[in-house]
């Protein structure tokens, strides 16, 4: 049996879909998994304030990147959330979503995209390097990365 085709969209999710998706991905969001109110508030924040690049298989949200492209003074966008359902790993979905998020930032007039990643998340770090991000700084727990956008 063939897997359903993947379609990519922007800003079609709502708070409930985001919350359900993040709860399903909760190994990536362990800081929220035991905090229902925190997850609810985070999903509401993403649905109301972030630009969302989404991957869908049939009617199921399988991947999501939330990016803020609202700092028009510095023209720096910030990716706050990257998630793909575990059953959909290793299919290039995060790579496609990241490319779309960078393009959306470019279209919004941003000159740079930044993000923070856990030091232990080696697969995400490799993804970001592959997408042209470079390490800017680090703490004991996090790596801070950036990528310039060609305007």
């Amino acid at each position: 049996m063939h897997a359903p085709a993947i379609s990519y969209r922007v800003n079609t999710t709502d708070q409930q879909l985001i919350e359900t998706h993040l709860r399903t991905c909760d190994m990536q969001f362990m800081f929220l998994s035991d905090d229902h109110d925190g997850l609810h508030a985070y999903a509401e924040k993403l649905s109301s304030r972030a630009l969302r690049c989404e991957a869908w298989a049939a009617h199921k949200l399988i991947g999501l990147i939330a990016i803020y492209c609202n700092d028009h003074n510095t023209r720096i966008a910030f990716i706050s959330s990257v998630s793909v359902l575990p059953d959909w790993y290793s299919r290039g979905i995060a790579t496609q979503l990241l490319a779309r998020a960078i393009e959306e930032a470019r279209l919004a007039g941003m000159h740079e995209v930044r993000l923070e990643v856990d030091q232990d998340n080696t697969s995400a770090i490799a993804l970001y390097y592959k997408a042209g991000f470079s390490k800017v700084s680090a703490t004991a727990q996090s790596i801070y990365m950036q990528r310039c956008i060609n305007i």
Side-chain angles (χ1 to χ4, degrees), residues 89-101:
Y89 285 178
S90 300
R91 298 185 195 198
I93 295 167
T95 299
Q96 286 290 324
L97 287 172
L98 193 53
R100 290 170 188 273

Side-chain angles (χ1 to χ4, degrees), residues 3-18:
I6 299 169
S7 63
Y8 294 91
R9 306 177 196 164
V10 175
N11 288 344
T12 66
T13 54
D14 61 18
Q15 177 186 342
Q16 185 175 0
L17 283 170
I18 294 168

Side-chain angles (χ1 to χ4, degrees), residues 3-22 47 51-65 83-85 87-88 91-94 96-97 100:
I6 299 169
S7 63
Y8 294 91
R9 306 177 196 164
V10 175
N11 288 344
T12 66
T13 54
D14 61 18
Q15 177 186 342
Q16 185 175 0
L17 283 170
I18 294 168
E19 188 172 343
T20 300
H21 173 78
L22 294 179
S47 70
L51 186 144
R52 295 159 328 273
C53 297
E54 310 154 359
W56 293 83
H59 299 290
K60 185 172 188 169
L61 179 64
I62 60 170
L64 177 71
I65 288 185
S83 57
V84 174
L85 294 179
D87 289 348
W88 292 87
R91 298 185 195 198
I93 295 167
Q96 286 290 324
L97 287 172
R100 290 170 188 273

Side-chain angles (χ1 to χ4, degrees), residues 16 28 42 58-59 62 69 72 81 92 96 100 102 125 136:
Q16 185 175 0
Q28 296 173 322
Y42 185 62
H59 299 290
I62 60 170
C69 299
H72 295 286
S81 176
Q96 286 290 324
R100 290 170 188 273
I102 292 166
I125 294 166
V136 177

Side-chain angles (χ1 to χ4, degrees), residues 114-134:
R114 293 184 182 174
L115 57 84
E116 175 184 355
V117 61
D118 188 282
Q119 287 267 15
D120 297 330
N121 195 341
T122 56
S123 60
I125 294 166
L127 168 71
Y128 302 140
Y129 278 127
K130 181 180 169 187
F133 283 80
S134 58

